[in-house]
Amino acid sequence: MNEELRETMEDTEECEEYERSGEVLETVELTIAIPEAGTLITCKDPSGIDQTPVPEIISKNDHYDIERTNERPEAYWKTYNTLEYYSDVRFEAGKSYTVFGKVKAGPGYIFNDPVTLIINGEEVPSEEVEDYSLEGDSFTFYFDITVK
């Protein structure tokens, strides 16, 4: 094996060790509050940063939580198919709305890839859990909430 290839392989192995260090979390459990029918979702900024109301997501464990950016949780009402933020939409009883969220592991923890994600007691399909960080300490998800 040539020297350059061997060094590249060693660098990759070291990088993989760094990326995946920490106690592995196999399962993440979250509760998402069901919004009240009649509540208006507003969003003017294309980044979604000003969207209200923010989905209320509660972690069932102190080893992970919803990531925070600019003093707000990384959680939005966002369509799964078009990836657009809901705006000027009023929640209607019996209709489903998609929540997008980013989960961040606490210091010293990483997520299994794939992680088992359970929201409101329901296992989320693996195709709706994605974008694992290289370090293994965060991922994003989509989940549909039906308003009552």
Side-chain angles (χ1 to χ4, degrees):
M1 178 181 315
N2 76 30
E3 185 67 23
E4 188 175 321
L5 179 58
R6 188 174 55 73
E7 287 177 13
T8 300
M9 288 176 67
E10 287 174 3
D11 289 347
T12 301
E13 288 169 7
E14 287 174 15
C15 189
E16 285 174 0
E17 286 176 26
Y18 169 74
E19 291 170 3
R20 301 300 297 170
S21 63
E23 186 177 330
V24 178
L25 300 170
E26 303 275 336
T27 303
V28 168
E29 291 187 67
L30 304 170
T31 298
I32 300 177
I34 297 172
E36 264 188 56
T39 302
L40 179 65
I41 304 171
T42 62
C43 182
K44 301 297 180 216
D45 191 299
S47 72
I49 200 70
D50 66 343
Q51 186 184 59
T52 59
V54 175
E56 185 181 336
I57 305 174
I58 301 160
S59 169
K60 297 278 190 167
N61 188 311
D62 62 0
H63 300 317
Y64 52 83
D65 206 349
I66 299 301
E67 177 135 35
R68 296 186 71 81
T69 303
N70 297 325
E71 302 304 315
R72 75 164 269 150
E74 279 283 313
Y76 305 93
W77 298 102
K78 191 174 181 180
T79 63
Y80 182 73
N81 293 338
T82 64
L83 304 178
E84 293 176 12
Y85 296 96
Y86 288 105
S87 181
D88 298 324
V89 173
R90 198 168 295 279
F91 290 117
E92 293 180 41
K95 288 198 173 185
S96 291
Y97 300 87
T98 304
V99 173
F100 165 84
K102 184 172 184 181
V103 180
K104 176 83 170 160
Y109 294 92
I110 60 173
F111 297 112
N112 189 54
D113 181 1
V115 69
T116 300
L117 176 60
I118 299 169
I119 298 178
N120 295 358
E122 179 182 327
E123 188 169 335
V124 178
S126 61
E127 61 270 8
E128 294 175 17
V129 180
E130 53 192 29
D131 296 336
Y132 290 88
S133 65
L134 290 176
E135 297 81 16
D137 66 347
S138 68
F139 66 88
T140 60
F141 69 87
Y142 289 89
F143 186 76
D144 290 337
I145 294 287
T146 301
V147 176
K148 295 180 179 180

